[in-house]
Amino acid sequence: AALAIAAGLAVLPAVGQLIPTMDYAKESMRGGAVLKGNADDTDAPKAHSGLDIDYAFQWSYGKIETFTLLVPNLYGASSHYNIGRQSKTYEALKNSGQGAQFVRYAPTYWGDQPFTSGPVYAGAIICFLFILGLYLVGEREKWWLLIATVLAVFMSWGKNFPILNDFLFYHLPLYSKFRTPSMSLVIANLTMAIMATLTLKAVIEQYQQKNFWQKFKRPLLVSAGITGGLCLLLILFGGAFDFTADGDMRYPDWLITALQADRHSMLTADAGRSLFFIAAAAALLWFFAKKRLKISYLIVAMGVLIFIDLWAVDKRFLNSESFVSKKQAKAHVASEADKQILQDKDPNYRVLNLASNTFNESSTSYFHKSVGGYSPAKLRRYQDIIDHHIAGNINMNVLNMLNTRYFILSDRQNQGQQQVQRNPDALGNCWFVDSLRWVDSPDEEIAALTHFAPNKTAVIDTAWRSKIPADLPTVVASDPAANITMTDYRSPGNIFYQSNNSQAQLAVFSEVFYKTWKAYIDGKEAPLVRVNYILRALSVPAGEHSIELKCKDELHLKCARLSLYASIFVGFIIIGSAVLLFIKRRNNKAQISIQK
């Protein structure tokens, strides 16, 4: 009950972020499929509102790779690791003039994950103390720590351990929203460190007991033997691994051979390194158990060894090169293509960068309104548009309705330099359509975008029929004089338009539809509808009108107020508890004084 109350007090001040995020997740890639064709495998245990299981389990840790907890470079560190000029790879490349640059970002990782920025390393001494703790730590603590550690390891295996992880994916609440099973090793890092701390505590508390050395000798030797023995086996027989990565096929055989040799060297070097730290920690405990080392010396020496072990590995991936002064820091540098596009002083158009990894880069979004770019939680419908009409065979009708005025292309004949191509058919920010094409499902709606004229027709799901005024005809006579234009872009959440049309028509806006958007015609709210699978549309009556689109997230505002009140309430509890504690201590002192 106390834990439940504490959990409630912890969560309430954060509901301003938690509840709106949960609400948005329903509409994102983590909210499940909109299209029947994208629904998870029909053989799945049950329908779920989350990611596709293959996508969610991409970053699954390998089973043997788990031993990076003990030997950090067991699987080649990272996908872009500096192996230096003493490497076999540099020797193989030094005559090409590319060696120095290549070895600075060498693809040394050869594990199961698509790529990685570094291994999960708990620490050689922590691993050793964890095993020792299974002998020395009390029953009340060690079993839950062991179970939590093992469960975290099993969960990190993802697709490599389907008997457990498939069940969790479909049944554990919120689990299907995440896509990195290897993150669960954060739990193992924590539980192993706790066990290591409790192990040292148990040693210090028990060493005064009679026959302590006789009881302690076997656990010490076994723990050192298991962890140190694994390191020794890797040193002696690590060459049995093939050290081949999936991406190696793009390199010539002689370079692959050099990379494999360096990967082997990295494994051997780190296995020897871990063996040294385990031996040093075991020696400290041996001297202490033999009463040749004081408690304070043991704690300081063990702390220093653990610090050196972890710090040295951390510095491989986060070091002085990772930091620059504010003056030197440049998030993105404009390319010649960017500079050419920025000469267009009208900011209200979009750019599609096909010269880079279109949906996994952020540089384009830094300079322009981008059709591409990366988000780990894109709107599900927008991802569907990418999958069906952009990423494969490009559908120019869809790009036109997204107001894609410029393309950045790679000129293969000119060493891959970027070039700019203007699209004269981009439809602009908004336009009137002459006809509505009704469909009965999202699948029919997205399919209808393959062949349609977005400047004349709007494709709309029948689910929106109640939001369309009865007097709006499905087909209207074309009116060349009818127009609607953007007049003010105050912010991404507040846009103004002016319309002039002789008959009621549907206006389509080149803006992605989301439920928090409100529309106002001459100050009066009017219903927005979704057309063309992702865009906003509004029925505009005949005449001249001022139109405002405004993002008003009522749920966010309500939750923000609740979060504020909860924060004040928790603050009063903290202050009240502090006052009560002060009064209690003062009364205790007064009572002791009277007794004296």
Side-chain angles (χ1 to χ4, degrees), residues 103-353:
V103 298
R104 186 175 174 80
Y105 303 101
T108 53
Y109 177 71
W110 54 282
D112 289 354
Q113 301 174 90
F115 60 86
T116 180
S117 295
V120 180
Y121 180 55
I125 298 175
I126 298 295
C127 291
F128 160 61
L129 293 176
F130 178 83
I131 300 297
L132 182 59
L134 298 178
Y135 289 93
L136 304 180
V137 175
E139 303 283 323
R140 183 177 178 181
E141 291 91 5
K142 75 176 178 184
W143 289 117
W144 74 263
L145 287 168
L146 176 62
I147 292 170
T149 304
V150 172
L151 182 61
V153 169
F154 286 168
M155 291 173 67
S156 76
W157 291 347
K159 64 184 178 183
N160 298 316
F161 195 54
I163 191 170
L164 170 68
N165 292 311
D166 283 9
F167 174 83
L168 294 178
F169 182 82
Y170 291 110
H171 297 88
L172 182 64
L174 300 180
Y175 190 65
S176 63
K177 310 293 185 187
F178 300 95
R179 70 167 299 195
T180 311
S182 59
M183 284 179 64
S184 67
L185 289 176
V186 171
I187 300 171
N189 264 320
L190 178 62
T191 53
M192 292 176 74
I194 294 172
M195 180 79 90
T197 306
L198 293 176
T199 301
L200 286 178
K201 178 174 178 286
V203 170
I204 292 169
E205 288 177 344
Q206 298 173 20
Y207 94 110
Q208 293 286 11
Q209 294 178 0
K210 188 178 181 180
N211 298 325
F212 171 72
W213 170 245
Q214 297 301 322
K215 297 177 182 177
F216 181 65
K217 179 169 63 174
R218 184 173 181 275
L220 178 64
L221 293 175
V222 170
S223 304
I226 291 174
T227 51
L230 282 172
C231 295
L232 186 59
L233 285 173
L234 289 171
I235 294 170
L236 297 175
F237 304 108
F241 294 116
D242 64 6
F243 300 101
T244 301
D246 291 338
D248 285 353
M249 62 184 68
R250 56 186 165 174
Y251 302 118
D253 291 342
W254 54 268
L255 183 55
I256 294 174
T257 301
L259 281 170
Q260 290 174 333
D262 286 327
R263 290 164 181 162
H264 183 200
S265 297
M266 292 168 66
L267 183 156
T268 303
D270 266 9
R273 178 186 179 281
S274 292
L275 179 60
F276 166 79
F277 279 107
I278 291 167
L284 285 175
L285 291 174
W286 183 87
F287 281 115
F288 176 75
K290 286 287 191 175
K291 301 186 178 180
R292 297 176 185 176
L293 191 66
K294 293 182 179 180
I295 292 176
S296 57
Y297 292 164
L298 171 68
I299 294 173
V300 171
M302 194 69 76
V304 168
L305 277 177
I306 292 172
F307 177 82
I308 293 173
D309 177 18
L310 296 176
W311 177 267
V313 173
D314 293 343
K315 289 280 284 183
R316 297 175 182 177
F317 306 97
L318 189 66
N319 49 51
S320 57
E321 294 181 0
S322 307
F323 299 90
V324 295
S325 67
K326 190 174 182 179
K327 291 182 179 180
Q328 293 175 308
K330 290 184 179 180
H332 299 284
V333 178
S335 66
E336 290 302 317
D338 292 322
K339 293 175 182 177
Q340 183 179 339
I341 294 172
L342 289 171
Q343 292 177 8
D344 188 334
K345 299 307 178 184
D346 174 13
N348 299 311
Y349 56 81
R350 294 192 181 90
V351 176
L352 179 62
N353 189 347

Side-chain angles (χ1 to χ4, degrees), residues 518-527 538-539 541 545-548:
K518 308 291 183 183
Y520 302 88
I521 301 177
D522 299 329
K524 295 182 179 180
E525 186 172 350
L538 178 67
S539 177
H545 301 285
S546 296
I547 299 170
E548 179 184 6

Side-chain angles (χ1 to χ4, degrees), residues 416-431:
Q417 291 187 6
Q418 295 182 353
Q419 62 178 8
V420 176
Q421 181 176 314
R422 180 166 180 144
N423 175 24
D425 299 321
L427 293 179
N429 310 116
C430 46
W431 59 92

